[in-house]
């Protein structure tokens, strides 16, 4: 995953692209370089995205990577199917799929940018062999950068950063103001593990006074 960039698209040098594609070759089954069909499933075909260089992001040869749409994408289309090894700690390229479970993304979905106004959302199927789907939240135009809101899946991020567009710090759902948490709830974009953590940590009555004092009978 990469922070959202603001400058024009610049293609990845051949050497970098070859290395990235070679490194990801063994993970092709994890990434949706597929053309979705009408029933929501995916099949092999022309990719709906491409990786391009991003001079505003750190990376090999001083050039980072981001993902853009190679054609118009309709709302509801699956852009990536992702999977990878599980860990109990978040990393820079992981997505949280459970209360204490994170998946290290192996495919090209790991280059999806963060945005507080994203064009995709992440759907999680924890017990699936491919537990993560990136789904278009609205119609996406060809050439548009693919993004999702990291705070909708991550409770407490392992690698927080400053959002390039808004200047706000992206640290995870736990750290959002109450109004923004409620806004995401109303939008219906919160997975079950975020709901559970929110309820357990902030909404359920706590045992005893929060200030540690002992309540005495009247």
């Amino acid at each position: 995953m990469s922070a959202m960039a603001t400058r024009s698209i610049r293609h990845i040098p051949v050497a970098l692209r070859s290395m990235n594609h070679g490194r990801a070759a063994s993970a092709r089954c994890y990434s949706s370089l597929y053309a979705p069909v009408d029933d929501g499933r995916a099949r092999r075909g022309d990719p709906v995205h491409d990786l391009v260089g991003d001079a505003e992001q750190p990376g090999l040869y001083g050039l980072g990577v981001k993902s853009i749409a190679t054609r118009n994408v309709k709302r509801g289309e699956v852009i990536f199917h992702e999977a990878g090894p599980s860990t109990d700690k978040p990393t820079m390229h992981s997505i949280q799929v459970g209360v204490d479970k994170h998946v290290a993304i192996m495919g090209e979905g790991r280059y999806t940018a963060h945005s507080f106004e994203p064009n995709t959302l992440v759907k999680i199927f924890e017990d699936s062999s491919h537990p993560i789907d990136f789904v278009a939240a609205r119609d996406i135009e060809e050439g548009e950068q693919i993004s999702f809101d990291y705070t909708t899946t991550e409770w407490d991020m392992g690698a927080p950063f400053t959002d390039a567009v808004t200047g706000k710090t992206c640290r995870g759902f736990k750290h959002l103001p109450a109004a923004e948490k409620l806004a995401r709830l109303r939008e219906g974009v919160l997975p079950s593990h975020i709901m559970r953590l929110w309820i357990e940590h902030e909404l359920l009555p706590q045992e005893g006074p929060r200030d540690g004092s002992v309540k005495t009978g009247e």
Side-chain angles (χ1 to χ4, degrees):
M1 300 187 288
S2 60
M4 189 170 184
T6 57
R7 291 188 181 175
S8 60
I9 295 169
R10 180 180 170 192
H11 286 283
I12 299 174
V14 173
L16 176 57
R17 174 169 290 279
S18 298
M19 186 201 71
N20 278 331
H21 280 231
R23 183 171 55 191
S26 61
R28 285 296 184 187
C29 59
Y30 296 138
S31 184
S32 81
L33 287 178
Y34 300 96
V37 293
D38 291 340
D39 61 4
R41 293 177 295 109
R43 65 186 180 192
R44 290 191 177 276
D46 294 333
V48 300
H49 81 286
D50 193 12
L51 300 181
V52 300
D54 181 0
E56 291 197 353
Q57 300 301 324
L60 193 62
Y61 308 119
L63 190 66
V65 180
K66 63 183 177 181
S67 183
I68 62 166
T70 55
R71 63 167 174 81
N72 293 337
V73 181
K74 292 184 179 180
R75 178 181 177 182
E77 285 194 30
V78 177
I79 300 174
F80 300 107
H81 288 301
E82 289 289 355
S86 298
T87 174
D88 60 357
K89 301 291 184 183
T91 68
M92 183 177 292
H93 294 297
S94 67
I95 289 181
Q96 189 170 1
V97 298
V99 169
D100 55 2
K101 183 179 179 181
H102 307 260
V103 170
I105 299 302
M106 301 297 292
E108 293 179 355
R110 67 185 183 275
Y111 298 114
T112 305
H114 162 77
S115 174
F116 285 116
E117 296 184 359
N119 52 27
T120 69
L121 57 87
V122 168
K123 292 189 175 181
I124 294 170
F125 310 91
E126 188 175 356
D127 296 327
S128 170
S129 60
H130 290 72
I132 300 167
D133 279 0
F134 291 75
V135 182
R138 58 169 174 78
D139 290 347
I140 301 173
E141 295 184 0
E142 181 180 351
E144 189 175 345
Q145 185 175 6
I146 298 170
S147 64
F148 81 98
D149 182 355
Y150 293 5
T151 66
T152 58
T153 60
E154 310 305 303
W155 175 251
D156 192 12
M157 292 176 59
F161 59 89
T162 300
D163 178 60
V165 174
T166 65
K168 297 191 297 185
T169 301
C170 183
R171 300 175 61 194
F173 186 86
K174 173 183 176 180
H175 304 281
L176 291 174
E180 293 190 26
K181 291 176 179 176
L182 288 172
R184 286 160 177 74
L185 174 65
R186 294 188 183 104
E187 291 168 5
V189 296
L190 299 179
S192 60
H193 67 273
I194 292 295
M195 292 294 298
R196 177 178 167 184
L197 287 165
W198 188 16
I199 291 169
E200 290 181 352
H201 286 263
E202 300 181 20
L203 302 182
L204 286 179
Q206 301 295 308
E207 294 183 2
R210 288 179 181 269
D211 60 5
S213 61
V214 178
K215 183 177 180 180
T216 59
E218 298 179 351

